[in-house]
Amino acid sequence: MDGCPVAYPDVALSQEEVLQEIGYGKTLPDGHVLSLIRRLLLLLEKEVKPRYMYCVYEGRTEDRAVHIRGHSLATHATITPLLEHAVRFAVFAATAGREFEQLQQHHKAGGDMLLIYLLDVMGTLLVEKTGDHMEKKLEADYPDMLHTKRFSPGYCNWHLTEQRKIFALLGQQPCGITLSDVCLMTPIKSISGIIGLGREVRPGPYACQYCELETCYKRKK
């Protein structure tokens, strides 16, 4: 299932976003780093084809889990309360795309560690912005409902193996994404999860403020 393609201008990365993500504040890196970032941004504009898809199902939260079409998603004590009052759930997948994966693999073979690192950061930003774009489409499709933030297996005690249930609800290889025996996605720069929908849901913040993972790099910011 190919999902919905996203035009790159709708999720385009800026130099400022990349610099912020790699830890630069008001200072700038040297000319070599800036030149490399600009070159990679041009490559992304020409080559990448992000995609997303979602399926919306009726469901309910109960016993620290989300129950959808015979599947019990064990979202546990942190995420489940944030999905309270949802009456429907958008099960989703989004990816920076196979083309981005190929770009990464090509440059990994060259062994330039700075370039490899910058591409990794850009891939993370790109798939998250694709997820943001998907949420805007969801808002347009369900204008009479509020929605929660998106939540993914692998965070806040929602075990990574639960991805199998997400993929079962989406169908085989959503957006061309495959799932390994240990539930890792390929292309690597992909996300999956659920979003709660309902007239009484609390949009609220991401679960970062509730998460107990003290070593997360986002917390260090």
Side-chain angles (χ1 to χ4, degrees):
M1 301 176 69
D2 285 342
C4 301
V6 179
Y8 183 75
D10 290 334
V11 292
L13 305 185
S14 69
Q15 176 179 289
E16 290 71 23
E17 287 172 320
V18 176
L19 290 174
Q20 182 177 7
E21 192 68 13
I22 63 178
Y24 284 92
K26 296 180 180 179
T27 60
L28 291 176
D30 62 36
H32 171 66
V33 174
L34 285 175
S35 176
L36 191 53
I37 289 172
R38 289 165 185 159
R39 178 160 68 88
L40 291 175
L41 289 175
L42 287 174
L43 268 179
L44 296 189
E45 183 178 359
K46 292 177 182 177
E47 298 189 22
V48 302
K49 298 177 182 178
R51 313 186 77 83
Y52 71 88
M53 70 171 293
Y54 58 80
C55 299
V56 177
Y57 299 107
E58 292 184 356
R60 72 186 193 283
T61 58
E62 185 180 348
D63 298 329
R64 299 198 304 171
V66 177
H67 303 276
I68 305 171
R69 296 194 70 177
H71 295 277
S72 180
L73 307 180
T75 44
H76 289 287
T78 302
I79 294 176
T80 308
L82 301 176
L83 294 164
E84 244 184 349
H85 306 303
V87 295
R88 294 182 182 178
F89 296 88
V91 182
F92 71 85
T95 180
R98 293 183 295 271
E99 298 80 8
F100 182 83
E101 180 97 344
Q102 291 165 1
L103 191 65
Q104 271 192 307
Q105 293 303 322
H106 172 74
H107 286 291
K108 278 183 180 178
D112 185 331
M113 296 308 297
L114 174 59
L115 189 150
I116 292 168
Y117 168 68
L118 289 173
L119 267 179
D120 184 75
V121 168
M122 290 178 179
T124 299
L125 287 171
L126 185 58
V127 71
E128 290 298 332
K129 291 189 78 169
T130 301
D132 294 342
H133 180 83
M134 174 191 69
E135 286 191 34
K136 292 177 183 177
K137 179 65 166 59
L138 185 65
E139 289 172 358
D141 286 348
Y142 293 87
D144 59 334
M145 289 188 176
L146 300 172
H147 69 85
T148 68
K149 300 297 185 181
R150 54 185 186 265
F151 303 105
S152 298
Y155 294 92
C156 299
N157 295 318
W158 190 9
H159 202 277
L160 193 62
T161 56
E162 295 275 298
Q163 300 237 70
R164 296 190 185 107
K165 298 173 185 176
I166 298 290
F167 276 57
L169 288 163
L170 287 173
Q172 292 298 314
Q173 299 188 14
C175 302
I177 304 168
T178 59
L179 200 60
S180 75
D181 292 341
V182 293
C183 294
L184 297 178
M185 291 182 283
T186 301
I188 294 171
K189 295 303 180 182
S190 301
I191 56 175
S192 70
I194 59 173
I195 299 169
L197 293 161
R199 291 185 175 87
E200 298 180 16
V201 300
R202 301 188 302 272
Y206 275 109
C208 296
Q209 69 185 73
Y210 308 103
C211 183
E212 298 175 355
L213 184 60
E214 294 183 0
T215 57
C216 178
Y217 81 102
K218 290 289 189 182
R219 185 184 295 273
K220 293 175 184 178
K221 291 185 178 181

